[in-house]
Amino acid sequence: MNIKRIILFNLLLFAGLAIHAQKSGYFTHYVNDPKLAKTAKAWVSSGEWRNGFTKASPDPSVNAIDFYVQYHKNPEQWKAMFQWLQNTDLLALPQGRHPIPGTTLVASVEDGENEPLDKRISESHYHHIDVQYVVKGVEGFGLIDHYTSKPNCKYDPSRDVIHYDFIKDRTKVIKSHPGYFNIFFPGDWHVARVLTNEPDQHQRVVVIKIDVR
């Protein structure tokens, strides 16, 4: 009887958590592995990944497990990227694409302006990870809810992108500034350059695409 009660309790708890998640939204890849989650969180906090990079820290929205797993599958690209970000005058670079020496990575330097969410286009990528570092100003990023969003086009392999129809009121908007950087993994469906409540909507951002492994 006790075992049956425990099983029933766990089933009800799981159902309750699922209902809560559907109401609150599902914004990133979730892994039900508490041990891995603890290890990943400690690793991110330790700064072991920095390779000398001290200009910024991961935004709290960054998926720690994906960061931990992908970094250790492909450390050379991550180390080279962080070293380049640290040693480069990112405000002095002209707009455009800049190869990162000794790698296949390319940094895109973009000067842009935030716009209302309904004027922006959502996206995600299958084979690349977007690392976005705002070096001047504030950029709004929209994280769209997986439960209420759906693809509105076929996946474009030449650009490694897919777009989504999403509900504005179910979108979580975060603000990124030079003290933090954002990482969007394949499970992070996102919208860039979203209007914020800041007085200035202009920003400079550096975008680097890391290979998914």
Side-chain angles (χ1 to χ4, degrees), residues 120-136:
R120 302 300 301 159
I121 297 175
S122 64
E123 64 180 23
S124 71
H125 315 285
Y126 288 167
H127 301 295
H128 294 92
I129 300 159
D130 270 355
V131 179
Q132 304 214 16
Y133 175 36
V134 177
V135 298
K136 182 180 180 182

Side-chain angles (χ1 to χ4, degrees), residues 117 120-122 140-144 166 189-194:
L117 180 59
R120 302 300 301 159
I121 297 175
S122 64
F141 288 105
L143 307 179
I144 66 174
F166 62 94
W189 305 355
H190 57 283
V191 187
R193 292 182 185 153
V194 176

Side-chain angles (χ1 to χ4, degrees), residues 51 70-84 100-105 210-211 213:
N51 198 30
Q70 286 298 320
Y71 181 98
H72 286 89
K73 287 183 176 181
N74 190 11
E76 293 79 12
Q77 284 195 345
W78 289 95
K79 289 179 180 179
M81 179 195 69
F82 283 123
Q83 185 177 50
W84 182 85
I100 296 179
T103 76
T104 58
L105 299 175
I210 299 284
D211 294 332
R213 295 292 173 88

Side-chain angles (χ1 to χ4, degrees), residues 31 57 68 96 100 112 119 169 184:
V31 177
S57 296
Y68 175 80
I100 296 179
K119 290 187 177 182
D169 292 341
F184 299 108

